[in-house]
Amino acid sequence: MSKPLQGIRVLDLTRVLSGPYCTMLLADMGAEVIKIESPRGDDSRAYPPFSKGISAYYANLNRNKKSLCLDLHDEKAKDVLRELIKISDVFVENFKPGTIAKMGFSYEEVKKLNPNIVFASISGFGQTGPYRLLPGYDVIAQALSGMMSVTGWPDSPPTRTGTAIGDVLGGLNCCIGILAALQGRNTQHHGEYVDIGLVDCSVSAMETITEIYMVEDRIPQRAGNRYEFIYPYDSFEASDKWIVIGVGNDAIWNRFCKAIGHEDWLADESLALNKDRAKQKDRLNTMVTEWTRQHPAVEIIELLRAHSVPCAPIHDVADVVNDEHIAKARQMICEIDHPIEGKMRVTGNPVKMTEADSYTYAKAPTLGKDTGDVLSNLLHLSDEDISYFMKKTTD
């Protein structure tokens, strides 16, 4: 067995989160990812949290990659990159639109060197349109997509999600685009330009919320943890902590009422159908909360799961990292070798495959660690040229 992307070489000119997240997934799945870093390195090398002076932020997103240090203001370094383009499959960058072209590596120029290259760009607003040159970050994507307008509670201000979901969505969609382009190359025998905008990705993720406006001409508002058209599908307070209960249809409602000893609720015709329950969300919230507050979370979860009612405790991060199913059985918390000593825990890859080799997580490279190896074994440069770039790396 081998990993599915074995034999695919990726030139990674991305920094911080969206691009490195994309190339992390490709590297986990077996691609040879060569991270091209300037002599100052990826900015995220200086981002907390730190383990013995090593950025865990950087280590998680850049595992399984090689680091080649090139100053792309140097013409000799540009020549090296051009030679690497000729023998690579994918070129990924997340500079502001137009920046990579000024360096001499627009898609048109790269395609001349390698007509089969898959060239991917991630930016805030994409490569076209009136906003294309505006600076874009995760919070900008969340704001402009409408995501912040529906996150939070009715009486709270618009709220950013607790993680940089705009960047993560950008990385995911870029990875999907690259994989599709690689497959298309097999049948159409030419490369492709994958253009990813963080705002586009966040708009796509809004799915039904946007449809509500376009179909009903109604602007959805913040609704806390509930779903607008399903109830009870919300967070509820147990005697010791918060939980979620997801009564997603009428059959589950029947099981839920019987499980908690409230078959009398089934006799209430105004609650018989989901569409009716959704209209009475406030009343139902009070009814369910009166019951949940009488019991500890673990007791509620055990009871409802025994009756096939979707539910879960609301984990904090410590709960997630130590969860038997998430961390261990599904291997979503894994160890890599620490660059200095011991082990460092990172988040695992969520894409599980049966026939491919299981994932291994090599430590993220120190800055320029693979410069000599790449220049010698891939490009066969002279010792003199290798020394020139090695000196640039250490200066």
Side-chain angles (χ1 to χ4, degrees):
M1 293 193 297
S2 62
K3 294 183 179 178
L5 295 183
Q6 191 168 319
I8 297 295
R9 180 175 294 129
V10 178
L11 299 180
D12 178 6
L13 282 80
T14 68
R15 303 98 61 229
V16 188
L17 178 50
S18 60
Y21 189 92
C22 167
T23 53
M24 173 195 75
L25 296 174
L26 298 173
D28 286 350
M29 291 186 280
E32 178 189 13
V33 176
I34 302 174
K35 186 176 179 73
I36 311 293
E37 296 189 73
S38 71
R40 59 177 279 188
D42 188 323
D43 288 345
S44 67
R45 287 184 180 272
Y47 289 3
F50 294 99
S51 173
K52 296 181 176 67
I54 301 297
S55 167
Y57 186 116
Y58 179 88
N60 183 50
L61 292 169
N62 293 283
R63 65 202 187 206
N64 293 333
K65 302 177 186 179
K66 297 177 179 179
S67 175
L68 170 60
C69 195
L70 291 177
D71 181 356
L72 293 179
H73 296 97
D74 183 330
E75 285 303 319
K76 289 188 71 171
K78 290 183 179 182
D79 287 339
V80 166
L81 182 54
R82 291 185 183 101
E83 292 305 309
L84 285 172
I85 287 168
K86 294 176 183 178
I87 57 171
S88 296
D89 301 283
V90 180
F91 183 104
V92 193
E93 59 92 14
N94 65 345
F95 293 102
K96 184 178 178 180
T99 302
I100 201 73
K102 291 177 182 177
M103 294 180 184
F105 295 98
S106 66
Y107 175 54
E108 290 72 21
E109 292 300 318
V110 168
K111 187 167 61 171
K112 291 176 184 176
L113 298 168
N114 183 348
N116 291 320
I117 199 89
V118 173
F119 188 115
S121 296
I122 305 176
S123 61
F125 298 93
Q127 302 297 308
T128 60
Y131 296 168
R132 60 183 290 272
L133 296 180
L134 294 177
Y137 284 97
D138 167 80
V139 72
I140 305 299
Q142 292 197 38
L144 276 180
S145 65
M147 191 176 289
M148 288 177 65
S149 76
V150 293
T151 303
W153 299 87
D155 57 352
S156 75
T159 305
R160 185 185 74 85
T161 63
T163 186
I165 194 67
D167 278 329
V168 171
L169 288 168
L172 282 170
N173 280 285
C174 188
C175 182
I176 293 167
I178 288 169
L179 295 176
L182 287 172
Q183 172 59 24
R185 189 178 69 171
N186 290 336
T187 56
Q188 298 165 18
H189 310 295
H190 60 74
E192 183 59 271
Y193 186 16
V194 178
D195 173 11
I196 299 294
L198 301 186
V199 174
D200 298 344
C201 297
S202 294
V203 169
S204 174
M206 291 284 284
E207 35 86 32
T208 304
I209 297 170
T210 308
E211 294 298 322
I212 288 172
Y213 171 72
M214 293 191 291
V215 171
E216 300 180 0
D217 198 28
R218 175 172 60 85
I219 301 175
Q221 303 297 313
R222 293 181 290 284
N225 291 330
R226 68 175 177 84
Y227 271 36
E228 183 172 331
F229 46 84
I230 306 174
Y231 214 82
Y233 199 106
D234 206 340
S235 58
F236 299 94
E237 188 178 11
S239 64
D240 56 345
K241 65 186 295 183
W242 285 83
I243 64 170
V244 292
I245 300 172
V247 178
N249 58 44
D250 297 334
I252 298 174
W253 171 246
N254 188 286
R255 297 198 299 271
F256 174 68
C257 293
K258 291 177 179 178
I260 69 173
H262 270 293
E263 294 191 34
D264 55 305
W265 294 358
L266 295 174
D268 187 339
E269 292 186 2
S270 68
L271 300 176
L273 300 176
N274 175 70
K275 64 181 180 65
D276 301 319
R277 293 192 297 274
K279 294 175 184 177
Q280 300 199 52
K281 60 185 182 301
D282 294 332
R283 174 187 167 212
L284 262 176
N285 182 277
T286 300
M287 292 165 60
V288 175
T289 300
E290 284 178 354
W291 178 79
T292 58
R293 282 178 175 164
Q294 299 176 42
H295 307 278
V298 65
E299 181 181 305
I300 296 171
I301 300 303
E302 183 178 353
L303 173 68
L304 295 185
R305 285 178 175 172
H307 289 80
S308 297
V309 176
C311 60
I314 297 180
H315 274 358
D316 61 24
V317 176
D319 294 326
V320 175
V321 170
N322 294 290
D323 187 283
E324 189 75 22
H325 174 88
I326 298 168
K328 296 180 181 179
R330 297 298 294 173
Q331 299 179 332
M332 286 307 300
I333 304 298
C334 305
E335 288 187 333
I336 60 173
D337 290 328
H338 191 282
I340 298 176
E341 58 179 273
K343 299 287 185 180
M344 176 185 289
R345 286 186 292 180
V346 296
T347 306
N349 192 307
V351 181
K352 312 300 183 187
M353 299 187 187
T354 300
E355 302 297 335
D357 278 347
S358 59
Y359 291 117
T360 54
Y361 301 106
K363 63 187 178 185
T366 54
L367 180 59
K369 173 184 175 295
D370 303 286
T371 300
D373 173 60
V374 170
L375 299 181
S376 174
N377 294 322
L378 289 185
L379 299 185
H380 309 294
L381 297 191
S382 67
D383 290 343
E384 180 181 355
D385 284 338
I386 293 172
S387 296
Y388 173 84
F389 289 108
M390 293 297 289
K391 184 177 185 302
K392 288 277 188 180
T393 300
T394 55
D395 281 349

